[in-house]
Amino acid sequence: MDFVEHIAKSHLQNHGISIPFGQVLNATSFSESDPSCITITGPVAVKAQVPAGGRGKAGGVVLTKDAVGAVKQLLGTELGQHRVNEVLVEQQVDIATELYLAVTTDGSLGCPVLMFSAAGGIDVESESNRIYQLPLAIDCHPTREDLTDFLNHAACPNPVDVVADVANKLYAAYLDADAELLEINPLAITRRGDVVALDAKLVVDDSALDRQPVLTSLATHMPMSELETKAVEHSLRFIELGGDVGVLANGAGLTMTTMDAIVHHGGTPANFLEIGGDSYTLAVPALELVLANPNVKSLVVNFCGAFARCDVMTGGVVEAWKALQPTIPVFFSIHGTGMDEARAMVRSELELEPFESMDDAISSAVSAAAAGRNNQQPPTQPDETATSDH
Amino acid sequence: MIIDSNDRVVVAGLTGQQGSFWSQHMMDYGTNVVAGISASKAGTSHLGVPVFGSFGEAAEGGLDVAVLFVPAGAASQLACQAAEAGARTIVVLTEFIPVHDTMRMIAAANANGANLVGPNTAGTVTVGSAFAGFMPAFNDRIFSTGDVGIVSRSGSLGTLACMEFTRSGRGQSVFLGIGGDPVSGVSTRRALEALEAHEATKAVVLVGEIGGSKEEDAADFVAEMKKPVAAFIAGRASPPGKKMGHAGALIVGDKGTYTSKRDALTAAGATVVDVPSELPGALQ
C-alpha cells in the first residue's frame, strides 16, 4: 500500500523528524475567492498529493509566491494514473545540501537496510551516484558509533550527528509502520544547519494492514477498473490484461504460467484470475468477471491440484458454466489431486473432453480465439443429428 | 532442509482441519510425526501422537523439523519458539504473514542455526521417504522416485513441474518449496546448494517467477554447480507494477523482470525453457 507525501511526512513528524511548515488543501477546504484559506505565507512549494514517483518531472510540484494560483492550477488535474484530490502547500526551505536517506526491506538479505547518499534529490537513482547500504537487525537499533561510521564512510556532510539521529528515528518509524519502504528524498540540510525532510515516501506491507488501522484509514487507493473493483469485493485476485484468451487457474505461479503459455502459442491473455484454496466457492463471480470482458473469445481452465483439490474447483466451474451458459469455447487442462473425478465431471456435465497436456489445451484456446476474432459472429452449432446420416 | 523418514516432525496446528488432513497424509507417506502443538488442546492426543502447549515441551521427546499449519497472527511467535527449542528445519506454510514478522522469524532461525523454509510455501518432499506441508507427494501421477531435484517458489507450478518429470518417466528425488513471499528464509541459492550436495539428486530444476532477485542472487552458484540445471521462470507475459497473486511476484521499475532472470541464469549455464513441458527434455 502506497501513501501520499503528507501522510508519510506526518508519520515522520510523529517520530521526531523535522518537516517544513505545511498545509493540506482539497476541493472543500480551498476557495479561490478567499485567499485566507491558505495560512502559509511567503515563497511556497505546492505539491500534488498522488502516490506516484516522478511527480516533480511530471509538473506536480510548483515553486511560487502565488499559492492560490498554484493550488487552483493543480487541484483536480490528472497526474499519471491519478486525479489530484489534495495538494500540500509548504513553506520553502533554504537548502544548502540535499541528501538521500531511506530504510527498505531487503529480500536478498532478509533484513531491513538503511540506505544513504550524499547526493539526494530527483537524480539519486542516476548510475553515477552511489547509494551506501547498512544492513540492520530487525527490532535492534544500530549504535550511534556504527551509524556515524557508516555516514562518514558515505561522505555525509555535517552535521553528521544530526543526520545519524534522523536515521535512527527513521528506523523506528519504519518498524512502527510495518513499512516495506520509508524514504526521505531529499533530506535537506538548510543554510541554518537544520535537517529537514522535504519529501517522503511510505509503502506499507499489504499483509500488515490489519494491525495498522490508523495508516490504513489514510490510504490512497490505486485506480482500478470496474471489474477489478468487483473482484476485490469478492476477494478474488483479478487483473485485466487486454488480450482475448480468458484465464482461470489455481495458484499464482500456475496462473502466470498459463498466461506465458498463451503468449508462447501465439495468443494474448485477457486476464490474470487466480482461483484456488477457498475461492473455488467463488467460481460464479470469477467466471462472470472473465465473461464481462467483451473481447474474450475463448477460455482456458488450467488446474494443477496440490493443496487445492481439482474435483472441488472443477465442480465450482462446471456449476458456474451451467448457470451462466457462455457462448465462447472452453478448454480444460486438469492435473493433480482429484483429477479423475474432475475430468469425469467435465465429460458428463459439459460433454467436453479435458486435454491430456496443458500445452494442447492452451494452443487450442489460442486457435479458437483467433477464429473468434476473424469471425465476430460466432458460427451456429452444426446440427449433428441432421448431418450424421450423410 | 531435505527431510527424511527418521526426522522427528512436530506439527503446530495438528488438531485443526487442514493440519489434521495433511498430517495424516504425511504419516501415511512415512513421515515421522511425533507430536503436535496446540495451546487449547495441550495434554490430549491426536492422530495417535501427543499434543503439547509449546515447542519447548514437545522438544523433550525429540524435535528435528517443525511444520506450521497456523494462521498468520500466530506463525511468527511459533516459528521463533521452534527455533529456540532446537528445530533444525522450520516449514512455515502460512500465507499473508507480515514481512516484518518474516524478518523476525529469519533472525530467530539464524541465531539458532535453523533453516526457515517459507513462509507461504507448499513445503518439501523427499520422494519415497517423507514430506512436510501440502504437496501431493502420495499422488503417483505427480511424484515418482527419480533423480531430479526441484526448487520452486510456487506450489501449483511446482506441482506441474514435478508432474512433467513423472510423465517423462524420470521422476524426482526432492521437491523444495521456498515460498512466494518477497522475503523468505531459505533462498533459491541455499536450496540449490542443498540439492548440489544431495547424493540421490543428479539433475536440478529451478522454477522461479518474476519479482525480487532470488534467481539473480542464485546465478553465481548455478555457474559453480556440477549438476545440470534447467529453469522455468513464470511471468514473462505479466505487466510491471501489478502484484501477480503472490506478494513477491511484482516487478518494480526495471527490477525483477523476466529478462533479467533469464539472462542471469542462461549466462550461468542453465537451460531456461519457455514452457514447463520442455523441462524434462532440457535435462536429457
Side-chain angles (χ1 to χ4, degrees), chain A residues 273-322:
Chain A
L273 177 53
E274 184 194 341
I275 176 169
D278 291 333
S279 55
Y280 64 84
T281 54
L282 301 170
V284 170
L287 194 56
E288 279 176 344
L289 284 170
V290 175
L291 298 173
N293 178 351
N295 299 326
V296 172
K297 300 287 187 289
S298 66
L299 175 66
V300 177
V301 178
N302 189 8
F303 290 151
C304 200
F307 177 63
R309 282 167 45 185
C310 286
D311 52 333
V312 176
M313 295 185 290
T314 305
V317 173
V318 164
E319 288 310 310
W321 195 266
K322 283 160 63 182

Side-chain angles (χ1 to χ4, degrees), chain A residues 108 139 179 205 237 260 340 359, chain B residues 99-100 104 141 217 235 237 277:
Chain A
S108 301
D139 299 326
D205 175 12
R237 295 162 166 188
D260 296 343
D340 292 330
D359 288 303
Chain B
V99 172
H100 285 206
R104 293 177 179 113
R141 274 181 288 185
D217 293 343
S277 57

Side-chain angles (χ1 to χ4, degrees), chain A residues 137-203:
Chain A
I138 185 83
D139 299 326
C140 299
H141 281 266
T143 64
R144 177 149 293 269
E145 195 183 358
D146 285 346
L147 267 181
T148 46
D149 282 354
F150 166 71
L151 291 171
N152 283 325
H153 176 66
C156 178
N158 275 321
V160 173
D161 57 332
V162 180
V163 177
D165 184 50
V166 171
N168 233 329
K169 288 168 173 166
L170 185 70
Y171 186 37
Y174 161 93
L175 290 172
D176 217 27
D178 269 302
E180 283 174 13
L181 170 69
L182 183 53
E183 177 185 89
I184 305 175
N185 185 33
L187 178 69
I189 301 179
T190 69
R191 294 193 193 284
R192 282 176 39 193
D194 296 330
V195 180
V196 184
L198 291 196
D199 197 358
K201 186 173 176 184
L202 170 62
V203 183

Side-chain angles (χ1 to χ4, degrees), chain A residues 108 111 139 174 178-179 205-206 211 237 250-254 257 260 264 272 306-307 335-337 340 356 359, chain B residues 18 95-96 98-101 103-104 141-142 156-157 163 167 213 217 232 234-237 243-246 277:
Chain A
S108 301
C111 67
D139 299 326
Y174 161 93
D178 269 302
D205 175 12
D206 287 342
R211 66 184 189 196
R237 295 162 166 188
N250 71 293
L254 187 66
T257 301
D260 296 343
H264 179 73
F272 173 99
F307 177 63
H335 298 93
T337 314
D340 292 330
E356 188 51 45
D359 288 303
Chain B
Q18 294 298 347
E95 190 176 6
F96 304 121
V99 172
H100 285 206
D101 285 353
M103 294 192 286
R104 293 177 179 113
R141 274 181 288 185
I142 295 175
S156 60
L157 184 50
M163 187 184 72
R167 281 163 61 151
S213 60
D217 293 343
F232 172 75
R236 188 179 200 171
K243 217 168 255 191
M244 304 306 288
H246 282 157
S277 57

Side-chain angles (χ1 to χ4, degrees), chain B:
Chain B
M1 71 197 81
I2 296 173
I3 71 167
D4 67 36
S5 54
N6 297 317
D7 286 326
R8 293 159 299 179
V9 176
V10 177
V11 179
L14 178 80
T15 57
Q17 194 191 347
Q18 294 298 347
S20 289
F21 179 81
W22 287 98
S23 297
Q24 186 64 60
H25 271 301
M26 284 158 56
M27 291 163 141
D28 293 346
Y29 193 71
T31 313
N32 183 23
V33 176
V34 296
I37 306 293
S38 164
S40 59
K41 301 211 169 83
T44 67
S45 74
H46 188 70
L47 306 182
V49 298
V51 178
F52 297 97
S54 71
F55 276 104
E57 294 163 46
E60 290 169 25
L63 166 62
D64 299 306
V65 177
V67 183
L68 271 61
F69 284 97
V70 298
S76 166
Q77 205 189 345
L78 278 165
C80 295
Q81 197 189 81
E84 284 157 18
R88 280 186 292 106
T89 299
I90 304 161
V91 182
V92 182
L93 306 160
T94 315
E95 190 176 6
F96 304 121
I97 293 178
V99 172
H100 285 206
D101 285 353
T102 297
M103 294 192 286
R104 293 177 179 113
M105 295 193 288
I106 291 171
N110 289 347
N112 292 283
N115 285 312
L116 179 79
V117 181
N120 190 16
T121 173
T124 77
V125 181
T126 305
V127 182
S129 174
F131 84 97
F134 41 66
M135 288 297 285
F138 42 84
N139 185 324
D140 63 9
R141 274 181 288 185
I142 295 175
F143 281 96
S144 54
T145 305
D147 65 0
V148 179
I150 297 175
V151 179
S152 178
R153 282 163 73 173
S154 161
S156 60
L157 184 50
T159 305
L160 181 72
C162 289
M163 187 184 72
E164 296 293 353
F165 283 92
T166 292
R167 281 163 61 151
S168 78
R170 185 157 183 183
Q172 317 80 12
S173 50
V174 177
F175 172 84
L176 294 174
I178 63 164
D181 275 6
V183 180
S184 309
V186 167
S187 62
T188 302
R189 183 194 171 103
R190 279 179 50 207
L192 292 176
E193 287 170 355
L195 292 177
E196 177 78 349
H198 185 243
E199 209 167 310
T201 298
K202 303 298 179 203
V204 173
V205 167
L206 192 172
V207 181
E209 59 193 44
I210 53 165
S213 60
K214 289 188 170 87
E215 293 78 11
E216 290 90 331
D217 293 343
D220 284 353
F221 182 72
V222 170
E224 291 172 22
M225 287 173 70
K226 294 198 170 61
K227 297 175 183 175
V229 178
F232 172 75
I233 309 293
R236 188 179 200 171
S238 296
K242 297 268 189 185
K243 217 168 255 191
M244 304 306 288
H246 282 157
L250 170 70
I251 297 171
V252 182
D254 57 358
K255 305 273 167 57
T257 63
Y258 174 82
T259 312
S260 152
K261 292 171 190 299
R262 182 198 56 198
D263 292 354
L265 292 171
T266 304
T271 306
V272 182
V273 302
D274 287 339
V275 284
S277 57
E278 293 173 357
L279 284 168
L283 288 177
Q284 269 168 10

Side-chain angles (χ1 to χ4, degrees), chain A residues 16-285:
Chain A
I17 296 171
S18 298
I19 60 173
F21 279 120
Q23 179 186 6
V24 179
L25 290 143
N26 57 31
T28 312
S29 57
F30 175 67
S31 163
E32 197 185 334
S33 58
D34 176 18
S36 69
C37 68
I38 299 178
T39 56
I40 312 290
T41 56
V44 292
V46 180
K47 307 166 93 177
Q49 298 298 288
V50 291
R55 182 185 53 165
K57 288 176 179 169
V61 177
V62 179
L63 300 178
T64 181
K65 286 180 181 168
D66 174 19
V68 173
V71 173
K72 187 188 160 199
Q73 177 195 327
L74 284 177
L75 260 186
T77 56
E78 300 280 334
L79 209 64
Q81 294 175 285
H82 298 274
R83 199 179 127 87
V84 180
N85 293 320
E86 289 177 323
V87 294
L88 174 63
V89 179
E90 277 184 345
Q91 210 162 55
Q92 282 188 26
V93 170
D94 199 8
I95 302 166
T97 310
E98 292 190 338
L99 313 174
Y100 174 89
L101 188 68
V103 181
T104 189
T105 300
D106 189 302
S108 301
L109 298 174
C111 67
V113 170
L114 179 68
M115 305 206 292
F116 174 82
S117 170
I122 55 175
D123 292 322
V124 70
E125 287 179 50
S126 72
E127 281 183 24
S128 58
N129 191 31
R130 172 148 182 216
I131 298 178
Y132 290 80
Q133 304 199 352
L134 178 68
L136 303 171
I138 185 83
D139 299 326
C140 299
H141 281 266
T143 64
R144 177 149 293 269
E145 195 183 358
D146 285 346
L147 267 181
T148 46
D149 282 354
F150 166 71
L151 291 171
N152 283 325
H153 176 66
C156 178
N158 275 321
V160 173
D161 57 332
V162 180
V163 177
D165 184 50
V166 171
N168 233 329
K169 288 168 173 166
L170 185 70
Y171 186 37
Y174 161 93
L175 290 172
D176 217 27
D178 269 302
E180 283 174 13
L181 170 69
L182 183 53
E183 177 185 89
I184 305 175
N185 185 33
L187 178 69
I189 301 179
T190 69
R191 294 193 193 284
R192 282 176 39 193
D194 296 330
V195 180
V196 184
L198 291 196
D199 197 358
K201 186 173 176 184
L202 170 62
V203 183
V204 173
D205 175 12
D206 287 342
S207 297
L209 294 176
D210 283 350
R211 66 184 189 196
Q212 296 291 343
V214 176
L215 279 170
T216 303
S217 71
L218 301 171
T220 306
H221 295 278
M222 291 299 283
M224 286 189 293
S225 71
E226 194 181 321
L227 291 181
E228 287 172 356
T229 307
K230 190 178 165 195
V232 170
E233 286 165 12
H234 288 289
S235 303
L236 284 166
R237 295 162 166 188
F238 175 80
I239 297 169
E240 284 188 86
L241 297 167
D244 57 12
V245 181
V247 175
L248 197 55
N250 71 293
L254 187 66
T255 310
M256 280 193 280
T257 301
T258 308
M259 290 158 46
D260 296 343
I262 288 170
V263 172
H264 179 73
H265 291 288
T268 50
N271 64 274
F272 173 99
L273 177 53
E274 184 194 341
I275 176 169
D278 291 333
S279 55
Y280 64 84
T281 54
L282 301 170
V284 170

